[in-house]
Amino acid sequence: MLTEAPPSLPYVSGNRRSTSARRPSAPHYWRRLVPLLAVLACVTRVPSFAHPLWNPDEGYLAVQARMLAHGGTLYETVVDRKPPLVPWLYEAAFAVFGSGSLTPLRLAAIAAQLGTAVLLASIARRRWTDAAGRTAGVLYLLASVGLNPEDAQAATFEVFMLPWTAAALWCADRRRWGWCGIAVAGAFLAKQTGAAVLLPVVWLLWRGGAPRTDVLRCAVGVTLPVLAAALATDPAGFLFWTVTGSGAYASFTGSELHVLVRGLTNAAILAVACAGILPPIVRVLRLARTGSAELWLWLGASAVAVLAGFHFFGHYYLQLVPPLALLATASLQILPRERLVDALLASACACALFLAWGLLAPRPELTHAQRVATAVRDHSAPSDRVLIWGMHPETYWLADRAPASRFLTAGLLTNYSGGREGPQVGERYAVAGTWPVFRAELAAGPPALVVDDSRGAAYGPGRVASLRRLLGGYREVARVDGAVVYAPEGPAERARPLGGGGSAAGRG
């Protein structure tokens, strides 16, 4: 159970009630608030159960988890540009509940959002009032779904990163520096940009005049879990795939207009979701000078994290919501009480809008992936390995077929990502060293089926000579929504369709 220690840092003036005022006991307070926040967390994530998956990141994680469960090794035979925490979470969920559904991960995402809300409520209650704690938790949950549903409702990296970032500030606020460092490490191991919370943590260390022993505790807390994760996988691979191996990915040369429009669009969508949060913050900008500088630093560091890589995907913006919720709560401590009512009402209306979007909007890309997966099942056997040349790794999971390569998307082999159309797409811009490994994999075990799902995009066979050479030994057997299905030439090809159930999709 969370406990409330006496404040150790300066707080904003203008509280409606002194921090020394008598409060109900912590268990009594949390027995009332946590169920309220739990119900709200469940309601806000109802749309997440409406589809088998929401975006390619979920598909990627699901396929990775199957590969790991069947002997794959992270950063060797199972690769991605992300740290290991969320792939391990998917692997554990599949081991316990099976790999046919993401429902356990949906429930884990609800728990993660609830944990984030409770931590933010605890921070706000300690700094201001009991009512402020309730406000922070509620505002966070209402705004947490305020993006395109494929970004906000998916059980992916940012959702599982946010509790760690909130825990880092919670621990720093109480000068529990060793645990604070562990929380920062957890945020990084969920997604690299989670390390942005280190900036407000360092500020609180410096402002509080922490002795060297506290600094050492925090540094050790950050370092040891990261080293342990590296040693549990492959240290060189861990460093390459999470830090050093994505230089070309972080460029938007030739795609400036495309990524700029995406960035502005997602910022505007989040602004609508924050219709109740942003006005009080704007009215009380002077908070940065009266005890909430670390919250502004948290927001600023999170904004830099959103900018990192110049891709501006919607789910990146989730990182902004926790500091925005706390800043709005801080601002509402100064403003008249009717502003609180306005903020909650506007946030609830915006939340309802996004929930309706999630429940009612069609998912054309999911429908496409499902149709391609049906074609893959119809033209392959359960034990076959197949190659999906595209940006939808979920097709492997939906088809229940094993990938023929550790590279689950064409993005790692061409530097294509999210509609990048510039000159930096092609074999020469692939992640270093991937093409020799890819060719060796296909030579050792030629795929029983190849699906060209590029659909005219910049990474299609017309611009990738090695893929054209591979397809020279295959013949077209089907077309599905613009995707072309190829089977091997020659008498050795088995009769199609085979179909059938079973699962070999996980062997790494």
Side-chain angles (χ1 to χ4, degrees), residues 2 4 29-30 33 37 112-130 132-141 144 162-163 165-170 173-174 277 295 298 318-327 329:
L2 296 171
E4 303 299 326
Y29 179 82
W30 294 111
L33 181 58
L37 295 179
Q113 291 290 56
L114 174 60
T116 305
V118 169
L119 287 164
L120 295 177
S122 182
I123 293 169
R125 185 191 186 218
R126 181 172 182 269
R127 287 174 167 237
W128 302 297
T129 67
D130 292 340
R134 292 188 289 269
T135 299
V138 169
L139 285 179
Y140 168 74
L141 289 172
S144 66
L162 294 181
T165 63
L169 197 70
W170 189 92
D173 214 27
R174 289 154 177 77
I277 289 178
L295 301 184
W298 190 11
L318 289 172
Q319 195 166 351
L320 300 173
V321 179
L324 283 172
L326 281 180
L327 282 168
T329 302

Side-chain angles (χ1 to χ4, degrees), residues 128-385:
W128 302 297
T129 67
D130 292 340
R134 292 188 289 269
T135 299
V138 169
L139 285 179
Y140 168 74
L141 289 172
L142 292 175
S144 66
V145 294
L147 288 164
N148 187 317
E150 71 178 34
D151 296 307
Q153 296 292 341
T156 52
F157 302 97
E158 287 79 9
V159 169
F160 297 112
M161 174 187 75
L162 294 181
W164 293 103
T165 63
L169 197 70
W170 189 92
C171 293
D173 214 27
R174 289 154 177 77
R175 300 188 179 186
R176 300 177 185 178
W177 297 114
W179 290 107
C180 176
I182 291 172
V184 172
F188 171 81
L189 290 173
K191 189 183 177 187
Q192 295 93 323
T193 55
V197 76
L198 188 60
L199 181 60
V201 165
V202 170
W203 164 262
L204 290 174
L205 269 169
W206 175 80
R207 192 183 68 176
R212 291 182 180 178
T213 54
D214 287 345
V215 176
L216 181 61
R217 287 191 190 96
C218 187
V220 170
V222 172
T223 304
L224 286 184
V226 176
L227 287 177
L231 293 172
T233 55
D234 169 59
F238 175 89
L239 179 64
F240 177 82
W241 285 102
T242 63
V243 181
T244 64
S246 301
Y249 180 79
S251 169
F252 68 148
T253 302
S255 302
E256 294 88 346
L257 182 59
H258 179 86
V259 297
L260 179 61
V261 169
R262 179 198 292 147
L264 293 175
T265 299
N266 285 323
I269 293 173
L270 183 61
V272 172
C274 294
I277 289 178
L278 295 178
I281 295 175
V282 172
R283 289 188 178 93
V284 194
L285 288 175
R286 65 184 180 85
L287 276 176
R289 301 191 300 274
T290 56
S292 293
E294 63 278 1
L295 301 184
W296 287 98
L297 285 172
W298 190 11
L299 178 62
S302 299
V304 172
V306 172
L307 296 173
F310 305 107
H311 285 79
F312 306 114
F313 294 123
H315 48 89
Y316 290 9
Y317 289 74
L318 289 172
Q319 195 166 351
L320 300 173
V321 179
L324 283 172
L326 281 180
L327 282 168
T329 302
S331 302
L332 290 166
Q333 305 314 297
I334 293 176
L335 296 171
R337 184 171 181 80
E338 55 266 24
R339 296 293 186 186
L340 172 60
V341 176
D342 293 343
L344 292 173
L345 181 59
S347 296
C349 291
C351 180
L353 176 66
F354 284 97
L355 292 182
W357 185 4
L359 289 169
L360 301 177
R363 311 304 308 167
E365 287 301 308
L366 173 60
T367 301
H368 169 80
Q370 289 172 322
R371 289 174 178 170
V372 173
T374 299
V376 170
R377 285 195 301 271
D378 289 344
H379 290 85
S380 65
S383 59
D384 283 342
R385 293 175 180 268

